Amino acid sequence: MQNKLAELLEEVNSASITDSAQLEEFRIRFLGTKNCLKPLFSELKNVPNEDKKLVGQKINELKNAAQTVFDQFNEQLSNDLGNEEKVDFSRPGEPNNIGARHPISVIRKEIISIFERIGYGVSEGPEVEDDWHNFTALNFPEEHPARDMQDTFFVETDGIEMALRTHTSSVQVRVMENSKPPIRTISPGRVFRNESISARAHCFFHQVEGLFIDKDVSFADLKQTILFFAQEMFGKKTQIRLRPSYFPFTEPSAEVDVSCTICSGKGCNVCKYTGWLEILGCGMVDPSVLEAANIDPKEYSGFAFGMGIERIAQLKYRVNDLRLYSENDVRFLKQFKSAF
């Protein structure tokens, strides 16, 4: 017993504590609820009567020594912590550089959200397409200029000529081939055109194209859908106008203008003093396109529309140079931190 006490006393007196974790280990061993001294008090009953007083005193001395050592190191560690640089937790924290969504991503999300509210799903497809999905199924004749190298980027894959898709209408073809009416979908994605890069054109850009096929779909349904989109995107006072146009895959077809977002239709240099800005093309799906997808044009009809996301972003944010969207200039992108 006395040898055990001597060993423990030596351990207490030679303790070297440098941090709070070691201090806590020391406390648990000698002063905790299950400390190493408790068994000694239990063994005291086995000590001869004439030695009990002396042994009991030594156990108490060991306990007091452990408490003294603990207090000394506790005070020392507290002083060391106090000498370190103090932190004012009431001060504002260091700002985090969160970044911002790209304006194209912001507008893409907003367009999808608008059409989802009226029941449109989202469909996507490959950016490298075959002739059937990019041209033939959409009623493009063999001599159409879009098939020329001047407008389309062609690549060869396993000996087969493919094209970097020139529109996301190719996704609509895939949806029609793999779905049965009613069909209501929009197809956002990147497209490619062999054009000179300038403030108003680029060799790639982003589109959202829409397709609605069902029984008894009319041009009036198309007009009301476009009006709903324009007013949700540009404001409730926005007006639209439709101008006759031509697309191989729709008939009749139209270009859609919105009242100028800058001058509210009064006329300014942005709208060339017409009061209108072009935003998209649309029309009723050509019966030959429905037949190519094995949809009976006598039973079903539909409309399609397509818009450039960059164009919508330019009107929404008054950006005057298309190239800014792909130059990754942080000064430009930071302006959209509060957009979404």
Side-chain angles (χ1 to χ4, degrees):
M1 168 71 84
Q2 294 194 33
N3 290 337
K4 180 66 173 176
L5 287 171
E7 290 176 3
L8 291 173
L9 184 60
E10 176 62 24
E11 182 181 346
V12 168
N13 291 331
S14 62
S16 177
I17 299 174
T18 59
D19 55 44
S20 57
Q22 293 178 350
L23 182 65
E24 180 63 9
E25 291 178 3
F26 182 89
R27 185 195 67 79
I28 292 172
R29 174 163 173 75
F30 292 100
L31 303 172
T33 55
K34 297 181 179 180
N35 62 70
C36 62
L37 304 184
K38 284 191 174 183
L40 299 178
F41 284 107
S42 301
E43 294 179 15
L44 191 59
K45 62 184 178 182
N46 299 324
V47 176
N49 291 332
E50 62 271 18
D51 296 331
K52 280 185 179 179
K53 183 177 180 179
L54 178 61
V55 173
Q57 289 176 346
K58 289 187 176 182
I59 294 176
N60 285 326
E61 288 175 2
L62 175 59
K63 183 177 180 181
N64 292 335
Q67 185 66 54
T68 299
V69 170
F70 174 82
D71 292 341
Q72 289 175 346
F73 280 110
N74 188 38
E75 182 179 1
Q76 179 181 333
L77 290 175
S78 298
N79 291 336
D80 291 344
L81 183 62
N83 292 331
E84 294 179 359
E85 182 181 355
K86 293 184 179 179
V87 179
D88 183 357
F89 292 101
S90 65
R91 293 181 60 187
E94 292 293 329
N96 291 323
N97 188 12
I98 298 176
R101 288 183 183 271
H102 193 281
I104 299 302
S105 298
V106 173
I107 294 299
R108 180 182 186 275
K109 181 179 179 181
E110 189 171 355
I111 293 172
I112 291 174
S113 175
I114 291 171
F115 283 104
E116 281 182 337
R117 294 203 292 273
I118 53 175
Y120 281 75
V122 178
S123 54
E124 296 182 341
E127 293 184 351
V128 181
E129 273 291 8
D130 54 48
D131 180 89
W132 170 259
H133 290 96
N134 199 70
F135 294 121
T136 305
L138 291 166
N139 204 33
F140 280 84
E142 289 289 337
E143 68 278 3
H144 196 281
R147 294 175 179 267
D148 198 303
M149 283 293 294
Q150 295 173 350
D151 294 310
T152 305
F153 289 106
F154 289 97
V155 295
E156 190 172 296
T157 303
D158 297 329
I160 302 174
E161 187 176 73
M162 306 285 281
L164 300 185
R165 66 182 182 189
T166 55
H167 44 204
T168 56
S169 300
S170 59
V171 181
Q172 297 175 340
V173 175
R174 293 180 178 275
V175 171
M176 288 189 289
E177 288 176 339
N178 296 285
S179 307
K180 293 183 179 180
I183 296 171
R184 189 178 300 192
T185 184
I186 57 172
S187 307
R190 182 169 51 182
V191 300
F192 306 85
R193 303 277 176 88
N194 191 1
E195 297 182 1
S196 299
I197 298 174
S198 67
R200 298 179 60 84
H202 211 292
C203 61
F204 74 90
F205 57 98
H206 300 79
Q207 278 189 336
V208 173
E209 298 204 17
L211 176 69
F212 179 34
I213 298 176
D214 204 347
K215 295 180 179 179
D216 301 321
V217 177
S218 69
F219 201 94
D221 299 319
L222 168 59
K223 182 179 179 181
Q224 190 60 35
T225 299
I226 300 302
L227 178 61
F228 171 80
F229 164 74
Q231 292 183 342
E232 289 295 305
M233 176 60 71
F234 300 110
K236 295 299 182 182
K237 294 183 179 180
T238 303
Q239 298 297 315
I240 66 171
R241 74 174 183 181
L242 283 75
R243 294 177 286 107
S245 186
Y246 167 76
F247 302 107
F249 36 84
T250 55
E251 179 61 37
S253 306
E255 300 281 1
V256 179
D257 302 329
V258 296
S259 51
C260 181
T261 58
I262 309 299
C263 64
S264 300
K266 297 177 181 178
C268 64
N269 61 344
V270 175
C271 62
K272 299 179 181 179
Y273 299 97
T274 65
W276 298 96
L277 296 168
E278 181 182 329
I279 61 167
L280 58 87
C282 64
M284 302 299 294
V285 179
D286 192 292
S288 61
V289 174
L290 296 176
E291 289 177 346
N294 295 318
I295 296 175
D296 187 354
K298 295 180 180 179
E299 183 178 2
Y300 295 100
S301 58
F303 61 76
F305 55 87
M307 69 189 80
I309 299 179
E310 282 87 346
R311 176 64 171 163
I312 302 299
Q314 281 184 299
L315 299 181
K316 184 105 173 166
Y317 299 127
R318 306 180 186 180
V319 178
N320 59 5
D321 193 331
L322 196 69
R323 292 168 293 190
L324 289 170
Y325 294 122
S326 55
E327 289 179 346
N328 293 324
D329 189 328
V330 175
R331 296 170 300 176
F332 171 72
L333 299 176
K334 280 183 176 179
Q335 299 176 63
F336 301 92
K337 275 191 174 182
S338 61
F340 251 53

